[in-house]
Amino acid sequence: MLPPVWEVVGAGQSLYEQGPVAPGTSTQVIADVPAGSYVALASCGNADSTAMWASDYPGIEEILALFPLTSFAIEQGATVITVPAETPAVPVQQSPSFGSSQSE
């Protein structure tokens, strides 16, 4: 069940990076995110700030209508991501000869 859009975009609810993004596929990484479930809304705007795009989400049109520019909800919906409270241990595979002081 998705939370109401106002909870997702409300004050203090944003963890993001911003800046120019090269054409094509790009990746942004956010570190040190507290455990919990988050809705990942993607948004972008053009260079002259006359248009913006945002991930589709129930009620997002209300939010987009508040901006004084042309806005669009894109077809790719928002993604829900859960950050676990504990990071799972990474399995370590040891080689029997690695670090061995015995001569062969």
Side-chain angles (χ1 to χ4, degrees):
M1 176 121 185
L2 294 171
V5 69
W6 288 106
E7 286 182 23
V8 176
V9 298
Q13 299 299 317
S14 294
L15 297 171
Y16 63 90
E17 290 185 18
Q18 69 182 49
V21 178
T25 302
S26 65
T27 301
Q28 293 181 331
V29 177
I30 301 170
D32 300 325
V33 176
S37 291
Y38 298 87
V39 176
L41 292 172
S43 63
C44 65
N46 61 357
D48 63 0
S49 298
T50 58
M52 70 177 293
W53 295 261
S55 298
D56 196 14
Y57 190 88
I60 196 69
E61 295 292 340
E62 297 173 46
I63 304 299
L64 295 177
L66 298 174
F67 291 91
L69 44 101
T70 304
S71 57
F72 307 91
I74 60 171
E75 289 182 22
Q76 180 180 351
T79 303
V80 176
I81 300 168
T82 300
V83 177
E86 294 181 19
T87 305
V90 177
V92 177
Q93 187 174 20
Q94 296 182 0
S95 171
S97 63
F98 183 76
S100 174
S101 62
Q102 298 176 355
S103 60
E104 293 184 24

